[in-house]
Amino acid sequence: MMASFFDQFESPICLGIPLIAIAIALPWVLYPTPTSRWINNRLITAQEWFINRSTNQLMTPLSVEGHKWALLLTSLMIFLITINMLGLLPYTFTPTTQLSLNMGFAVPLWLATVIIGMRNQPTIALGHLLPEGTPIPLIPVLIIIETISLFIRPLALGVRLTANLTAGHLLIQLIATAVFVLLPMMPTVAILTAAVLFLLTLLEVAVAMIQAYVFVLLLSLYLQENT
């Protein structure tokens, strides 16, 4: 029983071909394409409003140099939100529950922010490793601690996204299993449990959107330190 709960996180394979590539490529087909008309339909208007608001929230703390990342960060956020939301549908696979995929997003983008900081302002970038006013005996220890915390950042990004989505999916499956088991024996308790399951599903929809936003927001904060 416990093994079956984790089967949903295994990458599906058909004829020896991992289908995770299709799960990653599919969301790009679902986005409505803006037209050249002055007045668009409600879906495209809502999409443009959401993209504009999200971009403003992400780019406001950044300098003009960091605004070059607007397209990349906004596209990544929308992509992660779409994958997370599609993963809540029945009989679907959520690629972002795979730590390898999340680390594949986190490590290159984090490394790019570090390289930009080292290239454009190396003194300030290295100054983050040693807070101002540090006593001389603590300098070696603090440099080691700050360096470790710097390299832990991409790991924290990937693990946070993976853990939150994995925990939510497991909890939904556990409660759904409890509903089916309790329905023949205690219908009233099963109905109450189903109500809890419905509320949990709404919460997971919010978590799917929030975690994608937090992932990109932290990347923008790392970028802010280095631009």
Side-chain angles (χ1 to χ4, degrees), residues 71-144:
L71 179 61
L72 175 62
L73 294 179
T74 306
S75 301
L76 178 61
M77 183 185 65
I78 296 175
F79 179 65
L80 290 177
I81 289 176
T82 308
I83 287 182
N84 295 346
M85 298 286 285
L86 290 177
L88 294 174
L89 297 175
Y91 303 105
T92 56
F93 172 70
T94 312
T96 43
T97 56
Q98 306 294 311
L99 182 60
S100 57
L101 176 68
N102 297 333
M103 293 300 294
F105 285 134
V107 173
L109 293 174
W110 163 83
L111 187 59
T113 62
V114 174
I115 292 176
I116 287 176
M118 292 295 183
R119 185 190 65 182
N120 295 340
Q121 43 186 14
T123 304
I124 298 177
L126 293 175
H128 291 306
L129 300 179
L130 185 63
E132 187 177 356
T134 304
I136 295 179
L138 296 180
I139 288 179
V141 178
L142 281 180
I143 290 178
I144 294 174

Side-chain angles (χ1 to χ4, degrees), residues 26-84:
L26 180 61
W28 297 108
V29 186
L30 303 178
Y31 302 137
T33 305
T35 63
S36 58
R37 299 176 181 176
W38 286 7
I39 301 178
N40 293 318
N41 57 39
R42 291 184 177 88
L43 181 59
I44 295 180
T45 303
Q47 176 182 264
E48 291 179 351
W49 175 86
F50 176 76
I51 292 175
N52 290 334
R53 292 291 297 175
S54 302
T55 305
N56 288 335
Q57 290 290 331
L58 291 173
M59 295 297 110
T60 299
L62 298 180
S63 62
V64 178
E65 185 71 20
H67 290 179
K68 298 177 182 178
W69 286 58
L71 179 61
L72 175 62
L73 294 179
T74 306
S75 301
L76 178 61
M77 183 185 65
I78 296 175
F79 179 65
L80 290 177
I81 289 176
T82 308
I83 287 182
N84 295 346

